[in-house]
Amino acid sequence: AQSVTQLDSQVPVFEEAPVELRCNYSSSVSVYLFWYVQYPNQGLQLLLKYLSGSTLVKGINGFEAEFNKSQTSFHLRKPSVHISDTAEYFCAVIMKTSYDKVIFGPGTSLSVIP
Amino acid sequence: KAGVTQTPRYLIKTRGQQVTLSCSPISGHRSVSWYQQTPGQGLQFLFEYFSETQRNKGNFPGRFSGRQFSNSRSEMNVSTLELGDSALYLCASSQDGSGANVLTFGAGSRLTVL
């Protein structure tokens, strides 16, 4: 079975400061990895995904993530956050052989302080 | 290109009633999956449909059911509502449901059970 851990449930950070949201996963099979963002009263939106190839993945809104197979991690980073980045962030995995049974982490609430 | 449309956006029901939620996927997408989002349990997979067939099912009681029509639109039904069914129900669509597909989410249907 797969599982996803997001150790930080809440992350406050000042505007223009860097941020890292941590994600670790557990799986006995190969997986694809995703980060989704959820703004208040909205559905989830894809930030970035790792399918294969380069372990550094760039996404929308200046976010990037690095896949580390040995540490089974997929941490999300942004060098300088904006107020508009305030949202809930979800790390997710899916087995490469699965049909859309995505396993989501519990989420990290990012609050950007002006 | 229209996004994933979920109706209704908000609804209030009482215990013991039943509810039907609707999801219209992105044109051309044949896979529709459903998730329940609650503060305590996070995002949990309900089921996934492709070409009118349920391919995958999460760990929910039989009160939760769904179906998909020939035009890929999907509905989910919850019978004999319980207080714990209060949640945001999210629908997501993808082209064929394979692991590498990106899920596109609707804004959700927020169900309150009194």
Side-chain angles (χ1 to χ4, degrees):
Chain A
Q2 295 75 44
S3 66
V4 179
T5 303
Q6 293 180 247
L7 290 174
D8 305 304
S9 60
Q10 295 185 345
V11 173
V13 61
F14 285 103
E15 192 174 16
E16 298 184 4
V19 69
E20 178 179 81
L21 305 183
R22 295 180 291 170
C23 171
N24 288 89
Y25 69 94
S26 172
S27 176
S28 57
V29 299
S30 296
V31 297
Y32 297 122
L33 296 152
F34 304 83
W35 274 99
Y36 285 87
V37 60
Q38 185 178 32
Y39 299 103
N41 298 315
Q42 294 186 29
L44 278 68
Q45 177 185 355
L46 180 74
L47 273 178
L48 47 78
K49 61 184 178 182
Y50 175 77
L51 302 182
S52 64
S54 173
T55 57
L56 183 63
V57 180
K58 294 190 183 298
I60 63 172
N61 301 340
F63 284 93
E64 64 179 32
E66 185 153 21
F67 169 58
N68 187 316
K69 188 175 182 179
S70 63
Q71 297 185 5
T72 60
S73 68
F74 191 53
H75 300 333
L76 180 71
R77 294 189 286 261
K78 185 170 183 178
S80 175
V81 296
H82 301 130
I83 295 291
S84 59
D85 292 324
T86 295
E88 192 84 15
Y89 291 80
F90 295 92
C91 182
V93 302
I94 184 172
M95 290 190 296
K96 289 186 176 181
T97 56
S98 175
Y99 288 110
D100 276 355
K101 186 173 182 176
V102 180
I103 307 300
F104 286 90
T108 296
S109 178
L110 174 64
S111 298
V112 180
I113 306 164
Chain B
K1 191 174 184 181
V4 178
T5 303
Q6 291 189 247
T7 57
R9 286 294 312 277
Y10 303 91
L11 65 166
I12 300 173
K13 294 286 186 178
T14 57
R15 280 180 298 174
Q17 287 187 311
Q18 74 166 16
V19 65
T20 299
L21 309 178
S22 178
C23 173
S24 294
I26 287 176
S27 178
H29 283 191
R30 297 170 64 192
S31 169
V32 174
S33 51
W34 290 87
Y35 294 84
Q36 181 196 63
Q37 185 177 25
T38 59
Q41 299 297 319
L43 281 154
Q44 293 188 286
F45 173 80
L46 280 157
F47 26 65
E48 186 259 352
Y49 287 87
F50 179 81
S51 292
E52 302 178 67
T53 300
Q54 185 183 88
R55 286 193 303 196
N56 219 332
K57 191 178 190 305
N59 190 26
F60 278 82
R63 301 185 297 107
F64 291 80
S65 63
R67 59 178 176 169
Q68 186 181 36
F69 302 95
S70 58
N71 61 357
S72 294
R73 190 177 70 86
S74 178
E75 288 181 348
M76 68 162 283
N77 183 275
V78 188
S79 63
T80 320
L81 285 166
E82 301 176 0
L83 294 179
D85 297 333
S86 294
L88 179 66
Y89 290 88
L90 292 165
C91 162
S93 74
S94 66
Q95 288 186 317
D96 63 10
S98 63
N101 278 190
V102 172
L103 295 177
T104 301
F105 284 84
S109 292
R110 185 167 296 280
L111 170 65
T112 301
V113 182
L114 302 177

